[in-house]
Amino acid sequence: MLNYMKSEWYRISRGKEIYLFTGILCAIVVAANVLLCVMAATPDFPYSTVRFSLSNLLSSLGVLFFVAGILVWVLFADDRKDGTLKNAVAYGLSRCSLFVGKCVVSVAFGLASMVLVLAVYIGSAVLLLEGSTESVVWLLKGVAAALPFTVACVVLAVAAFATLSKPITAFWVWVSIVTIIPLVLNMIGLAVEPVAAVASWMPTNFFMHEVAINQSGLAQFLWDTPVGLAKCLISGFMGIAVFAAAGLWRADKTEL
């Protein structure tokens, strides 16, 4: 498995996909901060601040989950078409080892990409915009709280792309599990209390509804309380365990 991971690391690091992926994300966050900086010349425009810029991600940390799925698509969606999986199995690598190797490589590249994008995002906000940098600490804490389930989303994406024949089908299965099902359960939970209890433990829901920040001074984050932080960590690590178990179970049953 180590040899497979080394070969994948070499392939990805020598390719252009991961650099384009990271570069596009960096360009988006810089463009957003530049736009806010330019708008500062507009009289009475109140949003050219570090707090407002970083609050866009703070109030929508579920974006990290979506980006995790896109990352795996970029790195491994063409494995079946290129015959990479068949070649690896033909050389004696077990399918479970393939799955674990892909998860480790995806998480490693994902973390490296996230660190760079966050550095560009925060750095450009601090350099271009005005206001207190207190929100930088808030953002870093929020990203740390969302990190376990972000890793779970990577594991789920690897499982979907490795076991489903069409990448677009795999992506929609991933979207359904991470986003659509939690939102539907949340809507049902408005009328059915037991369903609401289940929905409240789904990261897509609680990162959307239990984080509040605005320009008037409100800043409430669920990870600032022991119960809220426990919810973030427990749901994240449970997601990793469940998605990894499902991926390993499906790995040996999938036709390449």
Side-chain angles (χ1 to χ4, degrees), residues 105-158:
V105 171
S106 297
V107 169
F109 274 104
L111 288 175
S113 179
M114 184 182 72
V115 168
L116 180 57
V117 174
L118 282 176
V120 171
Y121 181 29
I122 294 171
S124 60
V126 172
L127 289 174
L128 296 174
L129 306 174
E130 299 178 349
S132 169
T133 58
E134 182 182 19
S135 53
V136 173
V137 177
W138 296 344
L139 178 61
L140 294 178
K141 287 182 177 179
V143 170
L147 188 58
F149 193 73
T150 303
V151 173
C153 289
V154 170
V155 174
L156 175 61
V158 171

Side-chain angles (χ1 to χ4, degrees), residues 89-245:
V89 172
Y91 279 108
L93 191 65
S94 73
R95 300 184 189 194
C96 290
S97 296
L98 276 172
F99 173 73
V100 174
K102 286 179 184 294
C103 289
V104 173
V105 171
S106 297
V107 169
F109 274 104
L111 288 175
S113 179
M114 184 182 72
V115 168
L116 180 57
V117 174
L118 282 176
V120 171
Y121 181 29
I122 294 171
S124 60
V126 172
L127 289 174
L128 296 174
L129 306 174
E130 299 178 349
S132 169
T133 58
E134 182 182 19
S135 53
V136 173
V137 177
W138 296 344
L139 178 61
L140 294 178
K141 287 182 177 179
V143 170
L147 188 58
F149 193 73
T150 303
V151 173
C153 289
V154 170
V155 174
L156 175 61
V158 171
F161 284 111
T163 58
L164 297 173
S165 58
K166 295 183 179 180
I168 189 63
T169 302
F171 183 74
W172 279 111
V173 168
W174 180 91
V175 169
S176 297
I177 295 173
V178 173
T179 302
I180 297 177
I181 292 175
L183 293 179
V184 170
L185 290 178
N186 186 66
M187 293 177 63
I188 296 173
L190 297 176
V192 182
E193 184 60 33
V195 176
V198 173
S200 70
W201 273 85
M202 295 183 169
T204 298
N205 291 331
F206 63 68
F207 277 111
M208 181 186 302
H209 299 296
E210 298 183 44
V211 176
I213 180 171
N214 60 33
Q215 293 299 96
S216 63
L218 176 65
Q220 296 178 349
F221 311 114
L222 77 160
W223 53 82
D224 281 342
T225 66
V227 173
L229 181 59
K231 181 185 285 191
C232 296
L233 298 180
I234 292 171
S235 61
F237 287 113
M238 281 293 293
I240 294 173
V242 171
F243 298 152

Side-chain angles (χ1 to χ4, degrees), residues 37-55:
C37 180
V38 171
M39 292 299 294
T42 303
D44 300 322
F45 185 76
Y47 302 115
S48 296
T49 63
V50 175
R51 180 190 179 104
F52 178 79
S53 174
L54 300 189
S55 70

